[in-house]
Amino acid sequence: MAESGRTPQARAILQQCLRARLQVRPAEGDATAQWVEVQRGLVIYVCFFKGADQDLLPRMVNTLLNVKLSETENGKHVSILDLPGNILIIPQATLGGKVKGRNMQYHSNSGKEEGLELYSQFVTLCEKQLAANDKCAEAGVVVEHGTYGNRQVLKLDTNGPYTHLIEF
Amino acid sequence: MAESGRTPQARAILQQCLRARLQVRPAEGDATAQWVEVQRGLVIYVCFFKGADQDLLPRMVNTLLNVKLSETENGKHVSILDLPGNILIIPQATLGGKVKGRNMQYHSNSGKEEGLELYSQFVTLCEKQLAANDKCAEAGVVVEHGTYGNRQVLKLDTNGPYTHLIEF
């Protein structure tokens, strides 16, 4: 985890969901909007900062998938791998904002190219870990994700969002 | 805002919503669940830390209601007071969590009694600011809120959550 006082390399907000739908392509002309959807699981909003590098990602994914932030039917807290549950990853550059007067500034965020690369690898690592987990593979849980740099229209249905902030 | 390196007194996560519903009493026996609901506006998840005091609240409410985190139909960013929009306040003690191994610890959070007091005053201040704002009063926008210490079952419908973290 990011030590107190150090600028973080990445910031994640986690919420548990019963169902979450994310628009990945808006309606355009005759084409209807496209959505990805997950049932019960974890929503991960993620933002990368300047100075973040790829070495960070395995540790980051390992923490996020193993920390006990999901509630079973019996009210016990387990990891998303142990639930087992689905994952929806939402790129959310706004999480890097700092208040300046009445505006938000995003000067600490990764550049667009590095951010996209880190985000893509983050998604791939999450997919791999889920696929490699017997319980998740057997239950058929999935990783869905939004598109870096796009608007993220989200509909979220929770049994208590149980919102957590984890920095790296 | 909290200076880098200093332990914050409060943490808020903000998301814009098209509609948000929060269960404030679960179904029990013959009684159905009770919900509060807001249309277009701002969801504020809030958590207070040890050492937070009431002097913090006016500055905190002033910042959260005046920072430009809401999007108009034309894509311009304005404050929730200028939108004008509704506010749903969700007490969210989990935001104070720190990862320790695979578990979250909440040692930095306000004690239950202080936390409840700060939360109640925070809600009251938001209500007062909204009521005192001509544009909000005229539009009939409202502040709704959850119950401190209860489970916060949430259904959220966004046009892009536009998630921001602001610490005080």
Side-chain angles (χ1 to χ4, degrees), chain A residues 10-167:
Chain A
R11 177 171 289 161
I13 296 284
L14 299 106
Q15 294 186 317
Q16 62 175 357
C17 70
L18 295 179
R19 184 184 182 206
R21 283 153 285 165
L22 187 72
Q23 193 184 96
V24 289
R25 191 180 300 179
E28 211 172 11
D30 288 345
T32 54
Q34 284 181 22
W35 297 76
V36 293
E37 177 172 333
V38 299
Q39 302 301 316
R40 192 184 187 103
L42 188 67
V43 177
I44 305 177
Y45 307 80
V46 65
C47 172
F48 294 98
F49 293 99
K50 279 197 178 86
D53 65 31
Q54 303 176 7
D55 297 348
L56 166 74
L57 298 174
R59 181 167 59 88
M60 189 176 169
V61 170
N62 190 52
T63 297
L64 296 178
L65 302 195
N66 284 290
V67 69
K68 296 175 181 175
L69 292 187
S70 296
E71 200 179 4
T72 65
E73 300 288 354
N74 304 323
K76 194 183 157 196
H77 288 116
V78 298
S79 73
I80 192 66
L81 295 176
D82 280 339
L83 188 59
N86 304 283
I87 299 173
L88 176 64
I89 303 170
I90 304 180
Q92 189 81 131
T94 53
L95 273 179
K98 279 184 191 160
V99 180
K100 174 85 177 179
R102 297 184 59 198
N103 296 298
M104 298 302 290
Q105 290 186 340
Y106 304 93
H107 299 325
S108 306
N109 282 28
S110 278
K112 179 139 191 179
E113 225 165 283
E114 306 93 87
L116 171 58
E117 181 61 29
L118 289 164
Y119 173 71
S120 304
Q121 291 195 21
F122 176 82
V123 170
T124 303
L125 276 178
C126 286
E127 287 169 342
K128 280 189 185 166
Q129 283 227 20
L130 224 69
N133 182 286
D134 289 345
K135 211 188 260 186
C136 291
E138 197 174 314
V141 299
V142 292
V143 174
E144 297 283 2
H145 62 92
T147 318
Y148 189 85
N150 267 13
R151 172 181 292 270
Q152 306 294 327
V153 175
L154 173 71
K155 293 172 191 283
L156 182 66
D157 192 343
T158 81
N159 190 32
Y162 201 59
T163 314
H164 285 87
L165 165 71
I166 304 183
E167 293 184 331

Side-chain angles (χ1 to χ4, degrees), chain A residues 11 13 95 97 99 104 163 165, chain B residues 1-2 8-15 42-49 60-61 63-65 67 69 89-90 92 95-96 122 163-168:
Chain A
R11 177 171 289 161
I13 296 284
L95 273 179
V99 180
M104 298 302 290
T163 314
L165 165 71
Chain B
M1 302 330 94
Q9 291 191 285
R11 177 172 288 161
I13 296 284
L14 299 106
Q15 295 186 319
L42 188 67
V43 177
I44 303 177
Y45 307 80
V46 65
C47 173
F48 294 98
F49 292 99
M60 189 176 168
V61 169
T63 297
L64 297 179
L65 301 194
V67 68
L69 293 187
I89 303 170
I90 305 181
Q92 189 82 130
L95 273 180
F122 177 81
T163 313
H164 285 87
L165 165 71
I166 303 183
E167 294 184 331
F168 297 90

